[in-house]
Amino acid sequence: MKPAPFALERPRTTADALAFLAAGGRVMAGGQSLGPMLNLRLAAPGRVVDVSAADLRTAAREGETLVLGACVTHADIEDGRIAQAAGPVLAALLARVAGGIAYRAVRNRGTIGGSLCHADPAADWVNALSALDASVEIATPSGSRRLPLGDFLTGALATALGPDELLAAVRIPQPAATAGFGYVKHCRKVGEFAHAIGAALIDPARGAARLVMGALERPPLLIADARALFGGAVDADFAARFDPEPADAALQAAGIADPVSRHVHVEVLRRAVMQAAGLQAGRAAA
Amino acid sequence: MSPRSSSLEGVGARLPRKEDDRLMRGRGQFVGDIKLPGMQDVAFVRSPLAHARIRGIAIPPEDRSRVFIAADLDGVKPIRAVSGLPGFKVSEQPVLATGKVRQVGELIAICVAPTRAEAEDIAARVTLDLEELPAVSDMIAARAPGAPLVHEHWGDNVFLETLVDIDMASAFDAPIKVSRTISTARQCMAPIEGRGVVVHLDHRADQIVFHTASQMPHIVRTGLAGCLGLDEGRIRIVSPDVGGGFGYKAILLAEEVCLGWLAQRCGHPVRWLEDRREHLTANANCREHHYQITLYAERDGTLRGVDCEATVDSGAYSAYPFSACLEAAQVASILPGPYDFPAYRCRTWSVATNKCPILPYRGVARTGVCFALELALDAVAAAAGLAPEEVRRKNLVRPAQMPFDNITNKHFDSGDYPQALERALTAINADGVRARQARGEEDGRRIGLGLSIYCEQAAHGTSVYSGWGIPMVPGFEQAGARLTPDGGLELRIGAHSHGQGLETTLAQVAHEILGVPVARTRLVHGDTAMTPYSTGSWGSRVMVMAGGAVATACTELAERARRIGAHLLQADLADVRFADGRVTGPSGDVSLAQIAHVWYRRPQDLPAGVDAGGLEVTAGYKPVRDSGTFSYAAHAVVLAVDPALGEVEILDYVIVEDGGTLVNPMVVDGQIYGGLAQGLGTALYEEMAFDAAGQPLASTLADYLLPGAAEVPAPRIDHMETPSPYTRFGVKGIGEGGAIAPPAAVANAINDALRPLGAEMLHSPVTPRRIVEAILAARAAPSRRDAA
Ligand SMILES: Cc1cc2nc3c(=O)[nH]c(=O)nc-3n(C[C@H](O)[C@H](O)[C@H](O)COP(=O)(O)OP(=O)(O)OC[C@H]3O[C@@H](n4cnc5c(N)ncnc54)[C@H](O)[C@@H]3O)c2cc1C
């Protein structure tokens, strides 16, 4: 389990990184996913461009949007080092998601950008940020472009990123003050990738609910307008009116044929909804 | 039995482990820490297919001098682990594949280079032309006529079939009959340190020196000498610090043979370090059992008989030295557990499949049989409308019956099994748990209480192993004891310590007799050049066997010291005694250090006719009976099952165990904690699955789940200490026990929680997915009824 030979570059700026990529190469950020792939020889790039020392570990506020540089680590978020830019509500919510990723050693190096670019369907940022309606900023040889996360994530382990492009930043809108957020991860052991993820951003004041079912063999299953799961309208007692049937139907429509898997994903989503309502993630009686 | 010394370091002392100072500071010396000048690394080309004919191996010309295949290995013989049991079919495990490959990961070529990465580069350039053959990866299918054959000339896939029938028909009219199909998944043993071997030539000693992570250096030497065609004296095995064995390091590897040949061929030191992928996909698994079990009982729970068909997936080859049949043979002999009943039938099959060989793993077959029998007993309890403990009370061997010869002639040496059960029920507060269960949980989870009990034969010797006729039969165990000129003590044993704490506990045994401080006693082990022959560390045998040998050697040493001491004290031998490290006579005393000083430095002061052997003794030992000690335990667990997602949380875990006299209860606790962690792995997490083509489905620890710190609860341990009547100090083997009972206790607790839902879990690991599946299935279909 040793990597095939490769050249290593450590650019200090995004511009230098793009210049290296133009000549061919694979980006490495925290190396927590790419490292194992190199060691298992599932990836054998001739050149690795390590961007962890480039100018991408930043946090800023643009109006109601938090802009995190791609190389912000899970630990940066967990420890609140982005709290000033994020504001208390968003900072706390992101910290909770970050703290549930893997183990501390992985969080010390793994990055939010690497996580999105790796696009593992079971990854936490992939799903949590889909519910939060995030978008990404991509540095290209000719400038930059923005994509909603839903357009960026094109498949399991696949993104819209070109070989000469770099993910520069993640843009996360502030949730409304009246919104509730729920995030539930179903794992067999602590620190494991999820077997099912449910994420919910629900704002009864505006009658809006954005729900995500994740850790399927595909990008997050997003229900951007989830009123149908609450009997047609999202109001103050939405939690009591959660209807699993449309969620199950959405999974079926997405090709999830296995009823046990559907049962688990719907239940995890239900718990995320309960959390968004501020209720104990009550476990269901069978 | 000698009296316990008054000192705080002898038998029974809770002494911190000496070895932990270096191990916990990262100063251990493992195979991977060894660096020799000129050493090169090896990577292997391994079979990507489970079953295939090798049509060709293409090596680029520029790599030819660094790649070796079977045809290059002049004079190297295959590994053969033959059992003497009648009907056993022999498999020859080629060191490098010839003709055909029979499992994924089988070795095909050796690649050697200055670094492992470069060796892997070479391996990646070797191309294989393989003709894929149909594979057998399911042991039940492998037994069926017409299945693809792993070893064609056998005509079937059965290493060995056995049958015992003791009056089975007499049970058939019992009012309760419960049948279950129960199975345990294939597992990897997953020690923190994998296998590894460094080989170099010692021209001065005219020896090939292997540094290898092994539980049994002397047995490995015998096996290597046979495969390499060398005198045993030309081979030296050094097993340095070893990071966990569990059985995985009690096997002769083809890799070891390859490196022994390669070092001679290349002249420079060579090294192979197993990586995690090799461990998971290529090298030896464990635990995969399948039981079709029927229990016959009276309405009050009294067992009338046990009838079982057991199949063990032995993999493609018979591993050296334990062979492909030890596991199944053990199933037949120990399935009856700690219970007394009059009728028994057990048919077993050791089946060859296109998977890696199966090895005895901590607890060996006991974990599987305990799982099968204890789950079936709970099914009897449910059928009879009794509490699970009621059925066990009716059938456990009682203390008044001890020593007891059970239905398969296992000789239980001592103990009070029912008391262990009662103590466990009290400690876990069974009544309180059931009251809580009846109230129900606010969060919708369901509480379950589970029990399991086992007894474990350990340190069994010649009389047991000679019957199996495998390459290794333990005889007398020997130990050396040498006083140093300044009064320190060196002990030598041929077994190995790789986590058991023997550097401390054997020093405690010696201290009990000689009074030498534990800090001044060192254990020399893990080197064939410096230790007496031993079959090594396995079968929970070392404290009984090496402990007994150390005690015997120290007792002889004490007597020799007494003779010299009497002379120095100018007293009659009859008037002096040895105690607490001193020889004391009517008019004074003399210390062991003073006696050592005289023997080594002032021999002119020695008495005439002194024992010329001096202050160095090698002594052999066997217990009074070598049929084994029987330690035992009752485990009780309370857990909560989330029926919607199948998540299981352990709320309380109690272990009441009896390992006879405990040399160091703290070390015993450590052994139990580690065993429990592995037992929970079997119960809830670990599974090496294969697809129909024989491909292993986990190649990293992301797919092969091991319990971590967060998953293992702190158990509450209660010790009983019933000495064995047959061993020195009354000790019993306890090293494996912790891993035996947890899968059964946990599954029984889950079944207790799920019973009202009509779901029953009979396969380990009990995963969330399997729980949800069973609940949904039970909801869809009415539950089965047992005859009652
Ligand atoms: C033991 C373990 C457990 C884990 N558990 C979880 C878990 O529970 N949940 C979870 O979400 N994750 C988990 N992970 C993954 C972890 O979060 C990784 O850190 C993350 O997926 C990748 O981030 P990275 O910075 O390490 O990226 P890298 O490994 O460096 O890169 C990953 C991929 O993204 C590309 N890439 C990285 N950065 C950029 C960029 N800025 N622009 C373009 N391409 C880029 C790389 O080329 C590569 O293809 C786990 C990892 C390990 C080792």
Side-chain angles (χ1 to χ4, degrees):
Chain A
M1 273 211 287
K2 302 288 180 199
F6 59 82
L8 180 67
E9 306 293 350
R10 297 204 81 205
R12 296 285 159 164
T13 65
T14 307
D16 287 352
L18 286 171
F20 283 124
L21 288 179
R26 181 79 176 260
V27 178
M28 178 156 83
Q32 297 304 294
S33 296
L34 185 57
M37 289 197 300
L38 291 170
N39 284 344
L40 291 163
R41 297 190 179 219
L42 297 173
R47 173 152 63 177
V48 169
V49 181
D50 174 358
V51 297
S52 60
D55 45 2
L56 294 168
R57 201 167 168 182
T58 54
R61 180 81 166 253
E62 284 179 19
E64 283 304 282
T65 302
L66 169 66
V67 184
L68 293 180
C71 287
V72 167
T73 64
H74 311 325
D76 287 336
I77 298 170
E78 179 183 22
D79 297 349
R81 282 190 287 277
I82 56 135
Q84 211 169 350
V89 173
L90 189 53
L93 163 179
L94 294 176
R96 188 164 69 80
V97 174
I101 299 174
Y103 320 95
R104 182 69 199 198
V106 173
R107 300 198 288 272
N108 281 338
R109 292 197 60 88
T111 66
I112 190 167
S115 191
L116 294 180
C117 293
H118 188 55
D120 188 320
D124 292 288
W125 292 129
V126 163
N127 291 287
L129 295 179
S130 293
L132 290 171
D133 201 10
S135 57
V136 295
E137 201 167 294
I138 297 169
T140 72
S142 55
S144 84
R145 59 188 180 116
R146 273 188 204 167
L147 282 180
L149 194 51
D151 293 341
F152 178 73
L153 300 167
T154 55
L157 304 176
T159 67
L161 210 59
D164 54 355
E165 293 180 329
L166 197 64
L167 180 70
V170 183
R171 305 177 62 86
I172 310 166
Q174 279 289 341
T178 46
F181 181 72
Y183 186 76
V184 175
K185 187 177 171 181
H186 171 53
C187 299
R188 287 176 64 193
K189 55 179 279 196
V190 170
E192 206 203 355
F193 271 108
H195 298 276
I197 289 175
L201 182 67
I202 303 177
D203 186 353
R206 298 186 198 179
R210 200 176 156 86
L211 305 183
V212 167
M213 287 183 281
L216 300 159
E217 303 271 290
R218 45 155 287 147
L221 184 58
L222 171 71
I223 306 174
D225 177 359
R227 279 176 301 183
L229 278 77
F230 301 96
V234 178
D235 56 24
D237 65 338
F238 67 88
R241 300 208 311 209
F242 176 76
D243 177 4
E245 287 306 322
D248 186 77
L251 288 166
Q252 287 202 47
I256 314 300
D258 170 25
V260 176
S261 170
R262 288 204 307 273
H263 164 90
V264 168
H265 279 90
V266 171
E267 173 63 18
V268 170
L269 178 66
R270 188 189 71 80
R271 293 181 191 193
V273 167
M274 296 304 138
Q275 224 181 54
L279 300 172
Q280 189 69 16
R283 294 161 168 121
Chain B
M1 216 177 114
S2 56
R4 305 280 187 90
S5 73
S6 50
S7 146
L8 298 175
E9 294 199 328
V11 169
R14 278 189 168 264
L15 222 55
R17 307 193 325 169
K18 293 167 64 162
E19 45 268 75
D20 286 345
D21 185 63
R22 82 172 178 280
L23 295 173
M24 302 310 286
R25 291 179 205 279
R27 293 178 190 143
Q29 277 277 324
F30 298 86
V31 170
D33 295 314
I34 295 168
K35 296 194 170 55
L36 298 175
M39 182 169 77
Q40 299 216 354
D41 267 307
V42 166
F44 289 97
V45 176
R46 293 175 180 273
S47 174
L49 298 177
H51 200 193
R53 220 171 294 290
I54 303 175
R55 281 196 297 232
I57 304 169
I59 305 164
E62 67 274 19
D63 292 327
R64 190 60 190 91
S65 65
R66 312 196 136 272
V67 178
F68 304 95
I69 59 173
D72 297 317
L73 264 53
D74 272 352
V76 175
K77 296 186 204 62
I79 296 172
R80 281 165 58 97
V82 179
S83 159
L85 292 174
F88 180 81
K89 301 196 192 84
V90 179
S91 70
E92 299 217 326
Q93 179 183 2
V95 167
L96 292 176
T98 49
K100 146 171 156 153
V101 284
R102 296 182 179 83
Q103 62 160 94
V104 168
E106 188 162 350
L107 303 183
I108 294 178
I110 310 171
C111 306
V112 61
T115 66
R116 172 70 181 244
E118 290 165 284
E120 288 186 20
D121 293 344
I122 297 172
R125 291 194 290 267
V126 174
T127 51
L128 302 175
D129 180 8
L130 300 177
E131 175 194 342
E132 184 158 14
L133 301 171
V136 274
S137 69
D138 176 82
M139 60 174 136
I140 303 300
R143 269 174 42 199
L149 297 179
V150 180
H151 302 278
E152 281 88 355
H153 62 285
W154 290 7
D156 61 21
N157 286 318
V158 180
F159 276 105
L160 184 69
E161 180 177 340
T162 65
L163 172 67
V164 289
D165 186 337
I166 300 157
D167 215 11
M168 192 64 234
S170 69
F172 291 156
D173 64 350
I176 291 181
K177 174 184 177 188
V178 163
S179 293
R180 291 290 185 274
T181 303
I182 297 175
S183 56
T184 49
R186 196 167 250 260
Q187 281 181 242
C188 297
M189 285 161 270
I192 288 181
E193 178 209 27
R195 293 293 299 248
V197 55
V198 170
V199 187
H200 75 276
L201 305 181
D202 179 343
H203 294 292
R204 186 177 60 81
D206 189 25
Q207 280 184 323
I208 305 167
V209 182
F210 291 72
H211 283 86
T212 187
S214 176
Q215 297 171 232
M216 36 172 57
H218 294 272
I219 295 296
V220 167
R221 175 158 89 159
T222 302
L224 278 171
C227 289
L228 293 171
L230 295 171
D231 281 354
E232 292 207 27
R234 292 221 36 229
I235 296 176
R236 176 177 172 192
I237 307 290
V238 182
S239 189
D241 277 330
V242 169
F246 315 120
Y248 189 54
K249 290 167 184 166
I251 173 181
L252 174 66
L253 290 179
E255 287 87 343
E256 289 171 309
V257 182
C258 284
L259 267 78
W261 176 85
L262 185 69
Q264 300 175 75
R265 165 73 180 241
C266 296
H268 54 70
V270 288
R271 171 173 83 164
W272 167 72
L273 295 179
E274 179 187 66
D275 67 26
R276 200 49 72 175
R277 182 163 52 174
E278 288 176 299
H279 176 69
L280 291 173
T281 61
N283 276 347
N285 300 153
C286 58
R287 288 277 190 267
E288 192 172 8
H289 293 192
H290 181 279
Y291 297 87
Q292 186 62 54
I293 186 169
T294 302
L295 265 46
Y296 295 89
E298 298 295 344
R299 288 188 200 289
D300 68 357
T302 305
L303 279 177
R304 293 276 304 278
V306 173
D307 192 3
C308 184
E309 292 193 343
T311 312
V312 172
D313 185 332
S314 298
Y317 297 107
S318 181
Y320 185 97
F322 285 108
S323 93
C325 70
L326 178 123
E327 188 99 1
Q330 215 185 52
V331 168
S333 67
I334 64 177
L335 179 65
Y339 303 105
D340 179 17
F341 53 83
Y344 178 56
R345 178 165 66 186
C346 187
R347 190 183 293 276
T348 75
W349 292 267
S350 303
V351 176
T353 59
N354 292 112
K355 303 189 209 166
C356 13
I358 200 161
L359 281 192
Y361 170 53
R362 196 176 201 169
V364 198
R366 299 176 191 98
T367 303
V369 300
C370 178
F371 191 70
L373 187 63
E374 293 292 310
L375 265 60
L377 281 173
D378 268 24
V380 167
L386 299 169
E389 62 270 26
E390 211 41 60
V391 173
R392 288 167 176 84
R393 282 182 186 127
K394 280 279 178 322
N395 299 292
L396 282 172
V397 172
R398 283 167 286 107
Q401 295 172 280
M402 294 289 181
F404 178 76
D405 292 310
N406 87 343
I407 192 157
T408 54
N409 272 325
K410 294 286 168 190
H411 183 78
F412 299 173
D413 53 351
S414 64
D416 186 342
Y417 301 171
Q419 190 189 141
L421 169 65
E422 300 308 329
R423 284 206 204 183
L425 289 166
T426 306
I428 203 85
N429 184 14
D431 294 342
V433 172
R434 286 179 180 139
R436 172 176 172 181
Q437 202 174 25
R439 286 195 303 273
E441 301 294 298
E442 259 176 34
D443 61 11
R445 295 197 295 179
R446 308 191 70 92
I447 300 295
L449 168 63
L451 301 172
S452 97
I453 308 179
Y454 68 88
C455 65
E456 182 195 7
Q457 187 180 24
H460 31 325
T462 318
S463 63
V464 178
Y465 272 79
S466 57
W468 289 346
I470 61 173
M472 178 201 79
V473 179
F476 286 94
E477 189 78 10
Q478 285 165 338
R482 174 202 282 168
L483 274 185
T484 58
D486 58 356
L489 182 67
E490 286 172 9
L491 303 173
R492 291 164 204 281
I493 61 160
H496 194 271
S497 181
H498 37 274
Q500 297 91 337
L502 295 171
E503 293 172 40
T504 305
T505 52
L506 289 178
Q508 288 181 255
V509 167
H511 177 86
E512 183 71 28
I513 293 159
L514 292 175
V516 177
V518 165
R520 295 205 62 205
T521 302
R522 30 191 80 239
L523 181 69
V524 178
H525 65 108
D527 187 340
T528 55
M530 301 203 284
T531 61
Y533 190 90
S534 165
T535 56
S537 300
W538 52 272
S540 300
R541 66 188 294 278
V542 182
M543 187 43 69
V544 173
M545 300 303 297
V550 162
T552 307
C554 290
T555 303
E556 169 65 19
L557 203 54
E559 179 56 18
R560 291 192 194 170
R562 196 172 72 92
R563 285 168 186 276
I564 298 171
H567 173 78
L568 298 177
L569 293 169
Q570 307 275 302
D572 271 0
L573 189 56
D575 294 336
V576 300
R577 59 192 180 85
F578 185 94
D580 294 335
R582 312 187 77 78
V583 176
T584 306
S587 58
D589 64 4
V590 54
S591 73
L592 212 46
Q594 288 167 310
I595 291 168
H597 183 78
V598 169
W599 170 263
Y600 291 105
R601 310 284 298 277
R602 296 189 57 81
Q604 64 270 32
D605 294 346
L606 288 169
V610 67
D611 188 325
L615 300 178
E616 173 153 2
V617 176
T618 298
Y621 172 81
K622 241 189 208 188
V624 179
R625 262 190 83 121
D626 73 357
S627 53
T629 62
F630 281 79
S631 48
Y632 57 94
H635 288 216
V637 58
V638 180
L639 47 73
V641 184
D642 174 344
L645 293 179
E647 288 173 358
V648 171
E649 184 192 353
I650 292 175
L651 304 176
D652 194 10
Y653 204 110
V654 165
I655 298 173
V656 181
E657 76 90 43
D658 189 343
T661 303
L662 303 183
V663 173
N664 182 330
M666 187 193 294
V667 167
V668 172
D669 287 351
Q671 291 293 301
I672 294 173
Y673 294 147
L676 171 64
Q678 289 173 310
L680 293 176
T682 303
L684 296 169
Y685 303 102
E686 298 182 47
E687 175 163 25
M688 176 49 80
F690 288 76
D691 70 11
Q695 287 291 334
L697 297 180
S699 61
T700 73
L701 294 179
D703 306 312
Y704 186 83
L705 290 196
L706 292 166
E711 284 74 44
V712 181
R716 294 186 286 132
I717 300 175
D718 177 17
H719 293 293
M720 294 166 60
E721 284 195 60
T722 315
S724 170
Y726 306 129
T727 65
R728 193 71 199 262
F729 304 114
V731 299
K732 297 183 177 187
I734 50 85
E736 297 168 88
I740 295 172
V746 167
N748 278 338
I750 292 172
N751 288 337
D752 184 46
L754 299 185
R755 193 160 289 114
L757 305 181
E760 188 181 26
M761 311 308 300
L762 300 170
H763 180 79
S764 79
V766 185
T767 62
R769 158 103 204 173
R770 290 192 172 112
I771 290 174
V772 172
E773 227 164 37
I775 290 173
L776 295 182
R779 214 182 270 166
S783 69
R784 112 185 81 184
R785 280 269 159 268
D786 292 305

